[in-house]
Amino acid sequence: MKKTLSLLLSMTFILALFVGCITSNVASGETPNTGPSEPAKSHAGTYKGTAPGYHGELGVTVVLDETGKIVSVAVNEGHGETKNIGTVAINKIPDAIVAAQSLKVDAISGATVTGDAIIAAVAVALRSAGLNPADYSYTEIVAAEEASSTLNPDAMPAKAPITGTMKLKDAKGREVMLDLPVSTYAISTMDLIDYIIPLLGEEAFHKLVGSGQSGSHSLQTYAKLYTPIVGNYAEHVGQISDHNAPFDLEMLLAMDPDVLIVNSAMGAHRYALEIEPQLTAAGIPIVLVDVPGKEFTTSAQSTVRLLGQIFGKEERADEVASFLDEQFALIASKNLADRADKPTVYYEKSGYSEVFGSTSSSRSGWGTVIAAAGGENIADPILLESTAGKGGSNTLDPEYVLQSDPDYIILSGSGLGWMDNMPGATLPPPSFDIVNRTGWSTLRAVKGNNVYELAHAASRSIYGFHACLKLATVFYPEAFKDVDPDAVMSEFFDRFMLVDSDVTVWWHRLGESK
């Protein structure tokens, strides 16, 4: 009996020790070993995903190893994204994702739609592999609120009875007959409304019935910016063309504007003239404006005065044009064209380290701005003597740029958006990827951080005077030491616009953050 009792006590003691060990392990956070565990699921394989790109669905193929590491990302063929814009993102973002093992990579300015599509498509591929894209720092992109795509007939502006007619000459010298008053109008792209706001104020939006789309989706951008100020004008604005595409004649006829205003400096004017006979038959005249035009220092003023005639606001147009005249007169007073110390300048649009963008001579685009600001354009000796010089843009030999060793490099279209500084917007500074080109590290402009990125559309906007003033103060700091271009710009917005001058980031300098 004693033996049996002793045996039972011993077994109870051993069992207590065993339970105690288990309890201790659990309490200390250790998992008791209950036998062989399930092997971790392997994610090795090839996965596909799609997302909406700029020109339809964009597909990617993603290869993962067993741990979920991203081995490769490739954009599928047939994507249809724009060459040298969307394709820049296609060339760079997949490699960046693999290198970072993250979907939080720098966007490619000018190709954000394509870049966002690549990232979103990779997220879809990761989900199909049973992985959470958030573990790869993916943040779902919430699209900006679109301008209303459903037109409301009841919201259409009322047309006033015709009280007379007017003959005017447009920017191309064409005689155009207009019925008066002009109650409604359409424009080739939304940025033209910046010339009309100073004349009409909020009425610029209330009279608008049609606009073409731009590469920066300006129909949506302007709606997001101005709807809180003027109301939901988008419900009576039809999209009359895609970006750089023919006009939608049916939409134009349906919206029936009193006049279609088209910027002849853009490709859209050719499409407009193709349908002019049908528009004329419907009583819709075309008026061509020309900004920036061949005469940059006067084209904005000429445009404002022409629009003043159209809308019966000649006195207000003179006030706006006089302000612009004052700024260009200030620059002209410095006699920059006669200076012997003119800095050499290279300009490039949409350039990256591996993509050579176009430049402009002093006869067009940003070349006219640089010339007015007193810069000596290194493209002029090449382009002004060539057929391309008539239009003013072409691509320069990279070796020629290196040999020229410019004092300043001016960029546009590769770093800054347009009218994009919305409340809550995240606006990273330009990457200045272009300076990573072979040999560029030794250029005077790069070594001195004299590389500037300017908002591309500024050269053809009513705000071009600011870009010219800014460049003049950069090129000749002593001559313009008492001039503050940003203060002048703020005054213009205070007097003539509906918003403040911080609606966009106007410029960046290499090595500086704003």
Side-chain angles (χ1 to χ4, degrees), residues 95-215:
D95 290 342
I97 290 173
V98 174
Q101 289 297 301
S102 170
L103 299 187
K104 189 176 182 180
V105 295
D106 290 337
I108 302 297
S109 297
T112 52
V113 174
T114 304
D116 290 346
I118 295 170
I119 293 169
V122 172
V124 171
L126 292 172
R127 287 192 188 101
S128 70
L131 295 166
N132 184 357
D135 294 337
Y136 297 79
S137 302
Y138 175 65
T139 301
E140 191 99 30
I141 296 169
V142 179
E145 185 178 347
E146 296 284 308
S148 173
S149 58
T150 303
L151 294 172
N152 179 5
D154 295 332
M156 293 295 292
K159 290 208 175 194
I162 296 173
T163 58
T165 59
M166 174 179 62
K167 180 190 290 185
L168 58 76
K169 280 192 176 182
D170 69 11
K172 292 302 182 181
R174 304 176 335 129
E175 290 190 344
V176 182
M177 294 294 297
L178 289 179
D179 290 332
L180 298 177
V182 171
S183 303
T184 64
Y185 72 99
I187 46 182
S188 53
T189 51
M190 277 301 296
D191 53 4
L192 280 179
I193 205 169
D194 293 326
Y195 286 88
I196 301 172
I197 293 171
L199 307 179
L200 301 181
E202 293 188 12
E203 282 298 301
F205 293 93
H206 300 325
K207 292 177 180 287
L208 182 66
V209 296
S211 173
Q213 184 62 285
S214 71

Side-chain angles (χ1 to χ4, degrees), residues 68 158 416:
L416 294 181

Side-chain angles (χ1 to χ4, degrees), residues 121-420:
V122 172
V124 171
L126 292 172
R127 287 192 188 101
S128 70
L131 295 166
N132 184 357
D135 294 337
Y136 297 79
S137 302
Y138 175 65
T139 301
E140 191 99 30
I141 296 169
V142 179
E145 185 178 347
E146 296 284 308
S148 173
S149 58
T150 303
L151 294 172
N152 179 5
D154 295 332
M156 293 295 292
K159 290 208 175 194
I162 296 173
T163 58
T165 59
M166 174 179 62
K167 180 190 290 185
L168 58 76
K169 280 192 176 182
D170 69 11
K172 292 302 182 181
R174 304 176 335 129
E175 290 190 344
V176 182
M177 294 294 297
L178 289 179
D179 290 332
L180 298 177
V182 171
S183 303
T184 64
Y185 72 99
I187 46 182
S188 53
T189 51
M190 277 301 296
D191 53 4
L192 280 179
I193 205 169
D194 293 326
Y195 286 88
I196 301 172
I197 293 171
L199 307 179
L200 301 181
E202 293 188 12
E203 282 298 301
F205 293 93
H206 300 325
K207 292 177 180 287
L208 182 66
V209 296
S211 173
Q213 184 62 285
S214 71
S216 60
H217 297 277
S218 57
L219 276 167
Q220 286 74 36
T221 303
Y222 275 74
K224 184 177 181 182
L225 178 62
Y226 283 102
T227 296
I229 299 170
V230 304
N232 185 20
Y233 71 91
E235 65 180 349
H236 57 72
V237 176
Q239 180 176 328
I240 59 176
S241 74
D242 289 327
H243 176 49
N244 283 341
F247 283 92
D248 183 339
L249 180 59
E250 287 184 291
M251 178 62 78
L252 267 169
L253 295 175
M255 303 313 293
D256 190 27
D258 291 335
V259 61
L260 171 61
I261 302 167
V262 178
N263 187 3
S264 64
M266 309 294 286
H269 83 279
R270 296 192 300 273
Y271 297 122
L273 296 179
E274 288 175 0
I275 59 172
E276 188 170 26
Q278 295 96 315
L279 293 180
T280 300
I284 304 173
I286 297 174
V287 174
L288 298 179
V289 298
D290 189 26
V291 282
K294 294 292 189 287
E295 299 297 333
F296 167 72
T297 58
T298 58
S299 63
Q301 298 93 302
S302 298
T303 298
V304 169
R305 289 190 169 101
L306 178 59
L307 293 169
Q309 287 182 267
I310 293 173
F311 294 106
K313 297 290 184 180
E314 289 92 339
E315 187 175 335
R316 178 66 167 175
D318 282 338
E319 183 183 350
V320 177
S322 294
F323 182 95
L324 303 181
D325 283 333
E326 289 174 14
Q327 313 317 316
F328 289 114
L330 170 62
I331 297 171
S333 70
K334 306 297 182 179
N335 299 313
L336 303 181
D338 300 330
R339 294 187 62 135
D341 61 342
K342 296 178 72 172
T344 55
V345 184
Y346 173 59
Y347 163 74
E348 186 168 323
K349 174 184 179 292
S350 301
Y352 299 88
S353 59
E354 299 164 9
V355 176
F356 289 84
S358 61
T359 189
S360 297
S361 76
S362 297
R363 291 179 181 168
S364 74
W366 275 101
T368 64
V369 185
I370 291 167
E376 185 173 328
N377 193 334
I378 69 169
D380 283 352
I382 304 296
L383 296 185
L384 290 182
E385 301 303 320
S386 69
T387 303
K390 295 178 181 179
S393 68
N394 209 329
T395 301
L396 293 185
D397 185 331
E399 287 298 322
Y400 175 75
V401 177
L402 292 175
Q403 291 167 11
S404 300
D405 194 12
D407 298 308
Y408 293 90
I409 295 172
I410 307 300
L411 309 173
S412 74
S414 55
L416 294 181
W418 182 243
M419 296 299 178
D420 55 3

